[in-house]
Amino acid sequence: MKLRLGIPKGSLQEATLSLFSRAGLRVYTNARSYFAATDDPELDCMLIRAQEMARYVEHGALDAGLTGLDWVLESGLDVVKVCDLIYAKQSMGKVKWVLAVPEESSFQKLEDLQGRIIATELVSFTRNYFANRKIDVRVEFSWGATEVKPPLLADAIVEVTETGSSLRANHLRILETLLESNTQLIANQAAWADSARRQKIENLAVMLSGAIAALGRVGLMLNVRKTDLPAVLRLLPALQNPTVAPLADGEWVAVNTVIEEQAAWSLIPKLKQANAQGIVEYPLNKVVL
């Protein structure tokens, strides 16, 4: 049994391949092919645009795939949302679909766009968003370079952004955020109902989520006398509680925990001052909660 998995081609591709690598699975792509090989003989990968992923997963051409919540909502198709994977092209956060207008325009609220033209790639979602608010607008599909269309080709745009830098560079200001979106692992209904394929998809979710959870965190090990342990523990943050284990010398214990990487700079000197010894900071590949 092989699982057919869709990997988003385009802006999310490199971030997704990097995530798989951190999770422990190398994916080998070829610029001339839409198919990719992996180290897992039970996994077949295909590169598909995120905008189309839900369609092929829902139809059963793919058992599962990675795509944005935005494109799942836009498609309106019935797929299983297995888990959220919070990463994007430039960061490990969510992206926003925003309504933006020219800086010098008089538009101040959604109602000001009554009867106006809005350009976007997220046509169905945008049309429904305004319809639900009983605002009559003309929503046109944008084939790209959406930021340059106002004011000559459209009155406003609905565009995805991580930092807003592209909008500012094109002299646009944000009126409202319509949707926050993140990458999701989705599955075909029939594949999810099949126990073997479901287990494979769930295992994939565990490993990818663990790789994301490890980002920005490091492991910390140290030895400390039992008499100094309370002072050391007061300094240590942890996902749950630090692990404390006895050493061969009954007067000492080993402490193991996970901390935010940026905290190590100030924390390690404090631990040293609290009489901790043998302090080791080490990188993490995965944190499975």
Side-chain angles (χ1 to χ4, degrees):
M1 187 276 301
K2 282 197 172 187
L3 187 78
R4 301 184 304 273
L5 177 70
I7 292 178
K9 183 175 178 62
S11 61
L12 268 180
Q13 181 174 332
E14 289 307 315
T16 301
L17 295 179
S18 177
L19 175 62
F20 271 82
S21 180
R22 290 195 302 273
L25 182 68
R26 288 178 294 179
V27 180
Y28 307 95
T29 60
N30 185 320
R32 297 183 179 181
S33 175
Y34 281 83
F35 295 92
T38 76
D39 292 331
D40 186 341
E42 296 181 349
L43 192 63
D44 282 340
C45 292
M46 187 174 185
L47 298 173
I48 298 290
R49 286 179 60 82
Q51 293 91 326
E52 301 178 288
M53 191 70 72
R55 182 201 316 167
Y56 295 116
V57 170
E58 196 269 347
H59 290 175
L62 297 170
D63 295 314
L66 284 81
T67 188
L69 168 64
D70 43 8
W71 301 118
V72 174
L73 295 175
E74 175 71 3
S75 73
L77 296 173
D78 184 23
V79 294
V80 178
K81 298 173 185 176
V82 179
C83 69
D84 288 313
L85 299 169
I86 311 298
Y87 75 98
K89 176 183 177 182
Q90 298 176 354
S91 67
M92 300 309 295
K94 295 185 177 185
V95 299
K96 295 179 179 181
W97 283 89
V98 299
L99 175 68
V101 297
E103 289 177 348
E104 303 302 322
S105 73
S106 61
F107 305 127
Q108 298 298 325
K109 57 184 184 300
L110 262 66
E111 290 75 9
D112 294 339
L113 291 165
Q114 177 78 26
R116 302 287 185 162
I117 297 174
I118 299 176
T120 184
E121 196 176 352
L122 204 68
V123 173
S124 295
F125 180 88
T126 301
R127 189 173 287 141
N128 292 336
Y129 189 90
F130 279 89
N132 290 337
R133 288 155 182 77
K134 296 180 170 54
I135 302 171
D136 184 24
V137 295
R138 178 177 166 186
V139 181
E140 296 183 347
F141 181 76
S142 174
W143 291 94
T146 306
E147 297 97 329
V148 305
K149 295 188 174 178
L152 294 178
L153 303 178
D155 298 294
I157 65 170
V158 171
E159 180 66 330
V160 65
T161 182
E162 286 188 54
T163 65
S165 59
S166 181
L167 296 174
R168 291 189 295 270
N170 285 280
H171 307 292
L172 299 173
R173 56 182 168 86
I174 296 173
L175 274 190
E176 185 167 323
T177 297
L178 277 60
L179 172 69
E180 282 195 349
S181 178
N182 57 265
T183 308
Q184 292 187 330
L185 176 61
I186 61 173
N188 170 267
Q189 292 283 0
W192 192 247
D194 178 80
S195 59
R197 285 186 289 176
R198 178 169 180 164
Q199 185 63 63
K200 189 74 175 178
I201 295 168
E202 289 179 335
N203 291 346
L204 182 63
V206 166
M207 297 302 282
L208 294 177
S209 298
I212 290 175
L215 287 170
R217 291 171 170 162
V218 294
L220 199 66
M221 295 189 302
L222 57 91
N223 297 332
V224 62
R225 290 183 183 275
K226 289 182 177 179
T227 53
D228 295 316
L229 181 61
V232 166
L233 292 181
R234 283 194 293 270
L235 294 171
L236 288 178
L239 293 177
Q240 300 294 330
N241 289 302
T243 299
V244 179
L247 295 177
D249 184 334
E251 297 299 316
W252 290 76
V253 293
V255 179
N256 201 336
T257 191
V258 174
I259 65 171
E260 298 296 327
E261 186 174 13
Q262 62 184 13
W265 176 261
S266 60
L267 178 59
I268 290 177
K270 293 177 183 177
L271 292 171
K272 184 65 175 176
Q273 293 167 12
N275 296 322
Q277 296 185 20
I279 302 171
V280 177
E281 176 188 338
Y282 56 92
L284 300 172
N285 289 329
K286 287 171 283 295
V287 175
V288 179
L289 302 175

PDB file of all heavy atoms in Angstrom, residues 85-97:
ATOM      1  N   LEU A  85      -0.714  23.097  10.238  1.00  0.00           N
ATOM      2  CA  LEU A  85       0.744  23.170  10.194  1.00  0.00           C
ATOM      3  C   LEU A  85       1.089  24.641   9.995  1.00  0.00           C
ATOM      4  O   LEU A  85       0.990  25.157   8.882  1.00  0.00           O
ATOM      5  CB  LEU A  85       1.300  22.299   9.058  1.00  0.00           C
ATOM      6  CG  LEU A  85       0.981  20.805   9.154  1.00  0.00           C
ATOM      7  CD1 LEU A  85       1.346  20.086   7.862  1.00  0.00           C
ATOM      8  CD2 LEU A  85       1.699  20.166  10.341  1.00  0.00           C
ATOM      9  N   ILE A  86       1.455  25.302  11.082  1.00  0.00           N
ATOM     10  CA  ILE A  86       1.607  26.756  11.039  1.00  0.00           C
ATOM     11  C   ILE A  86       2.980  27.122  10.477  1.00  0.00           C
ATOM     12  O   ILE A  86       3.976  27.248  11.205  1.00  0.00           O
ATOM     13  CB  ILE A  86       1.410  27.393  12.434  1.00  0.00           C
ATOM     14  CG1 ILE A  86       0.131  26.857  13.083  1.00  0.00           C
ATOM     15  CG2 ILE A  86       1.363  28.914  12.317  1.00  0.00           C
ATOM     16  CD1 ILE A  86      -1.130  27.182  12.336  1.00  0.00           C
ATOM     17  N   TYR A  87       3.044  27.253   9.162  1.00  0.00           N
ATOM     18  CA  TYR A  87       4.238  27.757   8.501  1.00  0.00           C
ATOM     19  C   TYR A  87       3.813  28.392   7.197  1.00  0.00           C
ATOM     20  O   TYR A  87       2.744  28.098   6.659  1.00  0.00           O
ATOM     21  CB  TYR A  87       5.271  26.647   8.269  1.00  0.00           C
ATOM     22  CG  TYR A  87       4.923  25.702   7.134  1.00  0.00           C
ATOM     23  CD1 TYR A  87       5.477  25.870   5.858  1.00  0.00           C
ATOM     24  CD2 TYR A  87       4.056  24.636   7.340  1.00  0.00           C
ATOM     25  CE1 TYR A  87       5.155  25.001   4.828  1.00  0.00           C
ATOM     26  CE2 TYR A  87       3.734  23.767   6.316  1.00  0.00           C
ATOM     27  CZ  TYR A  87       4.283  23.956   5.053  1.00  0.00           C
ATOM     28  OH  TYR A  87       3.960  23.093   4.022  1.00  0.00           O
ATOM     29  N   ALA A  88       4.639  29.293   6.693  1.00  0.00           N
ATOM     30  CA  ALA A  88       4.321  29.990   5.449  1.00  0.00           C
ATOM     31  C   ALA A  88       5.597  30.138   4.636  1.00  0.00           C
ATOM     32  O   ALA A  88       6.649  29.577   4.968  1.00  0.00           O
ATOM     33  CB  ALA A  88       3.682  31.349   5.747  1.00  0.00           C
ATOM     34  N   LYS A  89       5.532  30.927   3.570  1.00  0.00           N
ATOM     35  CA  LYS A  89       6.665  31.078   2.663  1.00  0.00           C
ATOM     36  C   LYS A  89       7.865  31.705   3.358  1.00  0.00           C
ATOM     37  O   LYS A  89       8.996  31.249   3.241  1.00  0.00           O
ATOM     38  CB  LYS A  89       6.250  31.928   1.465  1.00  0.00           C
ATOM     39  CG  LYS A  89       7.377  32.236   0.485  1.00  0.00           C
ATOM     40  CD  LYS A  89       6.889  33.130  -0.626  1.00  0.00           C
ATOM     41  CE  LYS A  89       8.019  33.516  -1.579  1.00  0.00           C
ATOM     42  NZ  LYS A  89       7.548  34.425  -2.647  1.00  0.00           N
ATOM     43  N   GLN A  90       7.635  32.773   4.119  1.00  0.00           N
ATOM     44  CA  GLN A  90       8.730  33.538   4.709  1.00  0.00           C
ATOM     45  C   GLN A  90       8.859  33.361   6.212  1.00  0.00           C
ATOM     46  O   GLN A  90       9.849  33.792   6.800  1.00  0.00           O
ATOM     47  CB  GLN A  90       8.542  35.032   4.396  1.00  0.00           C
ATOM     48  CG  GLN A  90       8.571  35.352   2.917  1.00  0.00           C
ATOM     49  CD  GLN A  90       8.286  36.825   2.649  1.00  0.00           C
ATOM     50  OE1 GLN A  90       7.962  37.587   3.543  1.00  0.00           O
ATOM     51  NE2 GLN A  90       8.413  37.223   1.399  1.00  0.00           N
ATOM     52  N   SER A  91       7.861  32.783   6.864  1.00  0.00           N
ATOM     53  CA  SER A  91       7.876  32.725   8.319  1.00  0.00           C
ATOM     54  C   SER A  91       7.202  31.450   8.787  1.00  0.00           C
ATOM     55  O   SER A  91       6.719  30.647   7.994  1.00  0.00           O
ATOM     56  CB  SER A  91       7.137  33.941   8.895  1.00  0.00           C
ATOM     57  OG  SER A  91       5.755  33.859   8.569  1.00  0.00           O
ATOM     58  N   MET A  92       7.150  31.275  10.107  1.00  0.00           N
ATOM     59  CA  MET A  92       6.453  30.135  10.687  1.00  0.00           C
ATOM     60  C   MET A  92       5.133  30.590  11.294  1.00  0.00           C
ATOM     61  O   MET A  92       4.683  30.068  12.303  1.00  0.00           O
ATOM     62  CB  MET A  92       7.342  29.468  11.746  1.00  0.00           C
ATOM     63  CG  MET A  92       8.656  28.960  11.199  1.00  0.00           C
ATOM     64  SD  MET A  92       8.492  27.922   9.719  1.00  0.00           S
ATOM     65  CE  MET A  92       7.610  26.510  10.381  1.00  0.00           C
ATOM     66  N   GLY A  93       4.502  31.571  10.676  1.00  0.00           N
ATOM     67  CA  GLY A  93       3.234  32.075  11.169  1.00  0.00           C
ATOM     68  C   GLY A  93       2.137  31.941  10.135  1.00  0.00           C
ATOM     69  O   GLY A  93       2.279  31.284   9.108  1.00  0.00           O
ATOM     70  N   LYS A  94       1.023  32.582  10.427  1.00  0.00           N
ATOM     71  CA  LYS A  94      -0.114  32.565   9.520  1.00  0.00           C
ATOM     72  C   LYS A  94       0.020  33.689   8.504  1.00  0.00           C
ATOM     73  O   LYS A  94       0.775  34.633   8.692  1.00  0.00           O
ATOM     74  CB  LYS A  94      -1.416  32.718  10.301  1.00  0.00           C
ATOM     75  CG  LYS A  94      -1.714  31.556  11.240  1.00  0.00           C
ATOM     76  CD  LYS A  94      -3.080  31.716  11.880  1.00  0.00           C
ATOM     77  CE  LYS A  94      -3.407  30.512  12.750  1.00  0.00           C
ATOM     78  NZ  LYS A  94      -4.788  30.595  13.301  1.00  0.00           N
ATOM     79  N   VAL A  95      -0.727  33.571   7.431  1.00  0.00           N
ATOM     80  CA  VAL A  95      -0.831  34.649   6.452  1.00  0.00           C
ATOM     81  C   VAL A  95      -2.223  35.252   6.564  1.00  0.00           C
ATOM     82  O   VAL A  95      -3.136  34.649   7.133  1.00  0.00           O
ATOM     83  CB  VAL A  95      -0.569  34.161   5.016  1.00  0.00           C
ATOM     84  CG1 VAL A  95       0.843  33.604   4.894  1.00  0.00           C
ATOM     85  CG2 VAL A  95      -1.600  33.115   4.594  1.00  0.00           C
ATOM     86  N   LYS A  96      -2.373  36.442   6.026  1.00  0.00           N
ATOM     87  CA  LYS A  96      -3.664  37.124   6.071  1.00  0.00           C
ATOM     88  C   LYS A  96      -4.115  37.497   4.670  1.00  0.00           C
ATOM     89  O   LYS A  96      -3.314  37.947   3.850  1.00  0.00           O
ATOM     90  CB  LYS A  96      -3.559  38.401   6.916  1.00  0.00           C
ATOM     91  CG  LYS A  96      -3.257  38.158   8.385  1.00  0.00           C
ATOM     92  CD  LYS A  96      -3.147  39.489   9.132  1.00  0.00           C
ATOM     93  CE  LYS A  96      -2.858  39.260  10.607  1.00  0.00           C
ATOM     94  NZ  LYS A  96      -2.765  40.543  11.351  1.00  0.00           N
ATOM     95  N   TRP A  97      -5.397  37.306   4.421  1.00  0.00           N
ATOM     96  CA  TRP A  97      -6.023  37.844   3.220  1.00  0.00           C
ATOM     97  C   TRP A  97      -6.683  39.156   3.628  1.00  0.00           C
ATOM     98  O   TRP A  97      -7.563  39.175   4.493  1.00  0.00           O
ATOM     99  CB  TRP A  97      -7.055  36.872   2.653  1.00  0.00           C
ATOM    100  CG  TRP A  97      -6.423  35.738   1.906  1.00  0.00           C
ATOM    101  CD1 TRP A  97      -6.018  34.541   2.419  1.00  0.00           C
ATOM    102  CD2 TRP A  97      -6.121  35.698   0.507  1.00  0.00           C
ATOM    103  NE1 TRP A  97      -5.476  33.755   1.433  1.00  0.00           N
ATOM    104  CE2 TRP A  97      -5.529  34.433   0.245  1.00  0.00           C
ATOM    105  CE3 TRP A  97      -6.298  36.587  -0.549  1.00  0.00           C
ATOM    106  CZ2 TRP A  97      -5.109  34.046  -1.022  1.00  0.00           C
ATOM    107  CZ3 TRP A  97      -5.879  36.213  -1.823  1.00  0.00           C
ATOM    108  CH2 TRP A  97      -5.297  34.954  -2.055  1.00  0.00           C
TER     109      TRP A  97
END
